[in-house]
Amino acid sequence: MDAPAISRTEKLLSAVLNNLKKYLLAIASSLFAVFLAMSSFFTTELGYTYVVQDTLFGTIRVFTEPGLHFKVPFFSNVYTYNQAMTLSFGNQESGEKIKSTRQLSEVEVQFADTYTARIPATFRFRLSADPEKIVAMHREFRSYDNLIDSLLIKNAKNVTVVTATQYTGEEFFQGGLNKFKVQLEDQLQNGLYETERQQVEVEQTDLAAVSSTNDDGDRLERKVQLVWKNIILQDSAGQAKRIANPLDAYGIQVRQVTIGRPLPEKRLDELLVKKKDLVAKRITAIQAQETARAEAKTAQLEKEIEKARAIQDAQRSKELAIISKQKEVEMERQQAELETVRKEKEKAVAVLEKQKQLEISVAERDIQKANAEAATYAAKAIREQGLAEAEVAKAHLLAKQAARDIYMAEIQRDIAQVMYPALKDVTIDMPDYYVGADAGASPVSSLEVFTSLGAMEQLRRSSGQTIPQ
C-alpha cells in the first residue's frame, strides 16, 4: 500500500477514535449526572425513622413521615431505625415463634429462695417522635442494631431478672405470675424500684428431711423459713421509690409486655409436682372421709326416720280414733246448737216482723202529717205570690194612669215602628165609584151591589174607560 493511502487510513482511524472518545465522554457524563441526581435525593417510608447526617456542613436531620427529601451527595449518611421493635425471648406457647425484630432464648432468672427458672417473654418498644431525643439516641448508639443489642435487650433482661428477686419460686408458680407481669411492665416503663435486701419469714412447702422419725423421702411438710428478699422502698407519700429509667432519656416507650409459660428448674418442678400429687391425695382422702361420715350419718338418719315414722303411725292411729269420737260429739253438739239457733231465729223473725209493721205505720203517719204541712205551706206560698203579683200589677196600672198621655204616645210609637216599614212600598188608589149606605140607613144588599156594578160596566164600555176593581 502506498504512503497516501496509509495517511488517509490513519486520519480516518484518528477521526473515529476522537468521535468515540466524545461519545464515551458524553455517556459517562450522563451516567454521572444520573448517579449524582439519584444520590441527591432519598425516600422515606411509613413506620421508619431516618437520621440524615451531613458531614460536609455538620447538620443532622430527622424524618419520621414518608416522602422525598434532598441530601448532599457523597457527604450524607442516612441511618434507618424501626419506629416499633419486638424482642422475643424464647418460644411462646405450643412452640410457635412470634415474628419479631430479635429471636432470643428465654430469660433465666433466680428467685429469692435460690430456685431458678426460664421465663419466655415478649417486649414491644416504640421510638419517640421528638427529633431531639432521636438525635440524642443516635449520638449514643450510632445504629439500629447497636440500639437493640446495647440498650433494649440488656434493659429488658435486667428488669426481668431484678423483678424475679422480689419473689420466691413457690410464690411465683403458685399464683404470682400475674403480679410479676404487672410489676415487670411498670418497672420497664417507669424505672426499677429501689429495694433493700431483707430477711422475711416465708411459709412454704418443702420435702421433709429423712430421719429416724421419717423414712418417707417424698413426704412434704409446711414450715416457715427466713428468706432474703428484695423489699420495695417507699417514700413519705407511700409511693415506691424508683431508679432512673435509661429509656426516658431517649423517649422510648414500652407498648406491650407478654409472658409465656415459665419453665422451672428440675428441683422446683419436682417439688411442685409432688406437692400437687400430695395435695390431690389429701383432697381425695378428705373427700373419702367426708363420704364415709356422710354415709354413716345417712344410715343413722334413715333409722331415725323409720323410728319416727313408726311413732308417727301409732300416734296418727290414736289421733284418728280420738278425732272420730270428737267428730261424733261435735256433730251432736252442732245439731243441738243448730236447733236452738233455728228457734231463736224464728222468734227473732216474728219480733222483727212486728217491729217492721209498727215502723211502717209510724212512717205512714209521719208522711201524711208531712204532706198536710206541705200542702198548707204551698197554699200560703201561692196566696202570698198572688198578693205580690196583684200589688205589682196595681203599681203598674197606677203608673200608667198617672202618665196616660206618655203611655199612649209610647203605644202609638210602637205601632208606627211596626206599620211604617210594612207600608213603605204600598200604594193606595181611590175608587171612581163607591156603593154604600148612609149613616143610620140599612146595609146595602148584594143585589144592589151587583146592580150597581153592572151599571158601571155598561158605563165603562160606552165611554171606553176602565173601571177599577
Side-chain angles (χ1 to χ4, degrees), residues 27 172 201 381:
I27 293 173
F172 178 82
E201 291 184 353

Side-chain angles (χ1 to χ4, degrees), residues 258-329:
T258 58
I259 302 295
R261 183 175 178 274
L263 305 174
E265 65 168 283
K266 184 178 180 181
R267 290 188 305 116
L268 179 58
D269 188 35
E270 290 176 353
L271 175 64
L272 295 174
V273 170
K274 289 180 180 180
K275 180 178 178 181
K276 182 170 65 175
D277 293 341
L278 291 178
V279 169
K281 290 179 181 178
R282 183 180 179 187
I283 293 174
T284 304
I286 292 174
Q287 289 177 347
Q289 292 175 1
E290 293 294 332
T291 303
R293 288 197 196 97
E295 291 176 351
K297 190 173 182 180
T298 302
Q300 183 179 359
L301 289 175
E302 289 177 353
K303 292 180 180 179
E304 291 179 357
I305 291 171
E306 291 294 333
K307 181 179 177 181
R309 188 176 297 163
I311 294 173
Q312 288 176 356
D313 291 341
Q315 188 71 22
R316 188 178 297 111
S317 300
K318 181 179 177 181
E319 290 175 353
L320 289 175
I322 295 173
I323 291 171
S324 179
K325 292 296 182 183
Q326 289 177 348
K327 270 187 178 181
E328 294 177 2
V329 174

Side-chain angles (χ1 to χ4, degrees), residues 406-424:
I406 297 173
Y407 178 65
M408 293 303 294
E410 290 178 352
I411 291 174
Q412 292 297 327
R413 182 196 63 192
D414 296 337
I415 292 172
Q417 288 177 350
V418 175
M419 290 183 62
Y420 290 165
L423 297 175
K424 181 180 179 182

Side-chain angles (χ1 to χ4, degrees), residues 344-381:
E344 292 290 335
K345 182 178 178 183
E346 291 176 354
K347 181 179 178 181
V349 169
V351 173
L352 289 174
E353 188 67 26
K354 294 295 183 181
Q355 290 179 353
K356 182 178 180 182
Q357 293 176 0
L358 178 60
E359 290 175 355
I360 291 173
S361 300
V362 173
E364 289 179 351
R365 184 195 66 186
D366 293 340
I367 290 171
Q368 294 296 333
K369 183 179 178 181
N371 289 337
E373 293 177 354
T376 302
Y377 288 139
K380 289 181 180 180

Side-chain angles (χ1 to χ4, degrees), residues 8 50 120 124 127 178 203 220 256-257 282 316-317 334 355 372 395 430:
R8 287 194 301 271
Y50 298 85
R124 185 167 180 81
L127 296 184
N178 187 53
E203 183 179 352
L220 296 176
Q256 184 180 10
V257 175
R282 183 180 179 187
R316 188 178 297 111
S317 300
Q334 289 181 358
Q355 290 179 353
M430 296 302 292

